[in-house]
Amino acid sequence: DAKTTQPNSMESNEEEPVHLPCNHSTISGTDYIHWYRQLPSQGPEYVIHGLTSNVNNRMASLAIAEDRKSSTLILHRATLRDAAVYYCILRDRAGDGGSQGNLIFGKGTKLSVKP
Amino acid sequence: DGGITQSPKYLFRKEGQNVTLSCEQNLNHDAMYWYRQDPGQGLRLIYYSQIVNDFQKGDIAEGYSVSREKKESFPLTVTSAQKNPTAFYLCASSIPTGIPGNTIYFGEGSWLTVV
């Protein structure tokens, strides 16, 4: 299974942009890049996902490198409520007889936001 | 509101006991999952089910059992064979795997502690 590498932790100031990097050098051609975040003692929450093109939604933006070996989650203005662990995940290819589309979570990046 | 409900939120187990964690969803999702999370770690897949009356082992299925008799329900039993069951357990669901771009929705989690 393709894996991802993220920094263990990052810090940001409130109201400033945050760029959370993720490396996925072994990504397969049809693997989607998903981002989830998890607040303490809660289940992960979907943030955004993409395949090749950059994506924007109300929560964040996802910038995907042209070779797809890395991506960056962008929070345009960090708030205290954005403090969480952010997971970058590659969705397994479907139909391969294995975990068929299940998410494989690493340790993620713990984002701290300072007021 | 649609969502995933896990119960109980906190559960204590004595040595040698089996305990069952409940997971119910009203999202009309075919696929359901159980993950385990240890402190400071990522999520690890225990079992998953893509359709009623069918389920597959994940990466750490030993000491656990599941059933999928109804589309809405996917209970997890932690048996006495699981030697280190103290952890945070997360249930999730999605529309059928086979579409890698699908997002997965998580419940709020259940804390299991061995006393």
Side-chain angles (χ1 to χ4, degrees):
Chain A
D1 297 326
K3 295 183 179 179
T4 63
T5 304
Q6 300 176 255
N8 290 332
S9 62
M10 291 185 64
E11 278 191 355
S12 172
N13 293 318
E14 198 174 11
E15 301 294 320
E16 291 184 355
V18 182
H19 290 226
L20 298 165
C22 181
N23 288 320
H24 28 79
S25 58
T26 59
I27 190 170
S28 299
T30 54
D31 282 346
Y32 280 72
I33 302 160
H34 286 248
W35 283 82
Y36 283 73
R37 72 180 186 182
Q38 185 178 24
L39 299 170
S41 297
Q42 294 188 25
E45 172 189 32
Y46 167 78
V47 178
I48 200 167
H49 77 279
L51 182 62
T52 56
S53 303
N54 294 344
V55 183
N56 299 300
N57 67 20
R58 63 176 180 82
M59 291 180 69
S61 295
L62 176 60
I64 300 173
E66 195 170 337
D67 63 6
R68 298 203 336 120
K69 294 185 176 182
S70 66
S71 61
T72 302
L73 179 71
I74 302 166
L75 306 179
H76 295 285
R77 293 180 65 190
T79 70
L80 297 179
R81 288 177 295 179
D82 291 323
V85 176
Y86 286 79
Y87 296 99
C88 169
I89 301 155
L90 301 182
R91 192 74 185 265
D92 281 356
R93 297 183 66 178
D96 60 3
S99 50
Q100 296 193 23
N102 297 322
L103 298 179
I104 299 173
F105 287 78
K107 294 185 180 181
T109 296
K110 184 175 182 179
L111 175 66
S112 302
V113 180
K114 296 183 288 185
Chain B
D1 289 343
I4 302 174
T5 302
Q6 288 187 238
S7 62
K9 179 69 174 179
Y10 299 96
L11 184 61
F12 297 91
R13 192 195 91 169
K14 295 182 179 179
E15 296 279 355
Q17 271 187 341
N18 293 351
V19 293
T20 297
L21 305 179
S22 170
C23 179
E24 303 280 331
Q25 55 98 359
N26 60 3
L27 299 168
N28 199 33
H29 287 168
D30 285 305
M32 297 187 74
Y33 313 80
W34 274 105
Y35 289 88
R36 168 181 171 143
Q37 187 174 34
D38 293 285
Q41 304 297 313
L43 281 68
R44 293 184 290 168
L45 183 65
I46 305 173
Y47 268 97
Y48 65 101
S49 168
Q50 297 184 45
I51 197 168
V52 175
N53 292 321
D54 183 63
F55 49 83
Q56 306 295 329
K57 293 182 179 180
D59 301 319
I60 55 165
E62 184 175 353
Y64 299 98
S65 66
V66 293
S67 63
R68 188 81 189 279
E69 297 177 0
K70 298 187 300 182
K71 187 176 184 178
E72 305 79 24
S73 179
F74 191 40
L76 173 73
T77 297
V78 184
T79 74
S80 57
Q82 171 51 239
K83 298 306 178 187
N84 297 296
T86 296
F88 188 47
Y89 290 86
L90 286 157
C91 180
S93 71
S94 73
I95 59 178
T97 61
I99 305 175
N102 280 351
T103 59
I104 289 183
Y105 297 85
F106 286 85
E108 290 297 307
S110 295
W111 284 99
L112 174 62
T113 303
V114 174
V115 296

